[in-house]
Amino acid sequence: LPSHTSLNIYIRNTHVVTVSDARTADQCVVQTGGHLVVTSTFTLNDGTGDDLLVEGTFTVTSGTVDGAGTVIIAAGGGIWNWNGGTLAGSVVYTINLTGTLNMGGGTKDLRGTVVINNYCHSYWTAGDLRFYDGSPSFINWNTFYITGAVNITNFNVPVNAYFINKAGATLLKTN
């Protein structure tokens, strides 16, 4: 993955880029059919525009996504697979209405002032969601399906900065 000074970074159809050592990016676009996998430290540099636009697939399995700026999971096909790892810094994540959020696997930690705005139907099948220092928030605006053994834990976080289910949104737990 080129550095954040490279201006626009494109991950094209059929290409898979794995961040397995510390990297910083800005103005990165995962095009339809492309795949960005984070297993180490991936820092977003808050430059002009969207810092990470996902039209393809973005997978976080371990490691940390940190920094500032925005991550947009695009309407019409953007997919975010969050299977573990830490979201830190002040990044704002927006999963658009026809995007997808899949939460499976291991422990998922939120730190700092991270905000997740979830406008899509999301699916949580396994693992823990833990809120730590700062005031991280997960804001649900749609239907959030929980189908496995999961836990939400709050560590040293103000009560109002937590999992927020907005009016009209639904949490649906099934076995």
Side-chain angles (χ1 to χ4, degrees):
L1 188 67
S3 79
H4 66 283
T5 60
S6 301
L7 295 178
N8 296 333
I9 302 167
Y10 292 95
I11 300 172
R12 299 189 185 280
N13 184 23
T14 73
H15 294 196
V16 177
V17 173
T18 301
V19 178
S20 58
D21 59 353
R23 297 291 173 157
T24 300
D26 186 22
Q27 296 176 324
C28 184
V29 177
V30 181
Q31 295 179 329
T32 302
H35 195 167
L36 174 61
V37 180
V38 174
T39 63
S40 184
T41 300
F42 182 60
T43 302
L44 290 171
N45 188 55
D46 188 13
T48 302
D50 299 327
D51 302 298
L52 176 60
L53 174 61
V54 179
E55 299 166 339
T57 303
F58 174 47
T59 299
V60 180
T61 58
S62 59
T64 301
V65 179
D66 201 351
T70 58
V71 174
I72 304 294
I73 308 301
I79 299 169
W80 178 14
N81 298 315
W82 187 18
N83 299 320
T86 301
L87 306 181
S90 60
V91 180
V92 175
Y93 297 80
T94 300
I95 306 102
N96 283 304
L97 184 60
T98 57
T100 301
L101 171 61
N102 297 312
M103 295 171 56
T107 300
K108 294 157 272 303
D109 292 337
L110 291 169
R111 296 181 175 273
T113 58
V114 168
V115 174
I116 299 173
N117 286 300
N118 180 48
Y119 295 98
C120 71
H121 289 254
S122 11
Y123 306 89
W124 186 10
T125 58
D128 296 337
L129 179 60
R130 304 186 308 188
F131 292 77
Y132 280 92
D133 54 309
S135 55
S137 297
F138 189 113
I139 304 168
N140 184 48
W141 299 85
N142 206 319
T143 303
F144 195 88
Y145 298 94
I146 302 172
T147 59
V150 302
N151 293 297
I152 297 176
T153 309
N154 182 0
F155 297 98
N156 302 318
V157 178
V159 173
N160 64 346
Y162 199 53
F163 190 100
I164 301 163
N165 203 46
K166 294 303 253 185
T170 304
L171 285 176
L172 182 61
K173 171 73 168 112
T174 61
N175 290 332

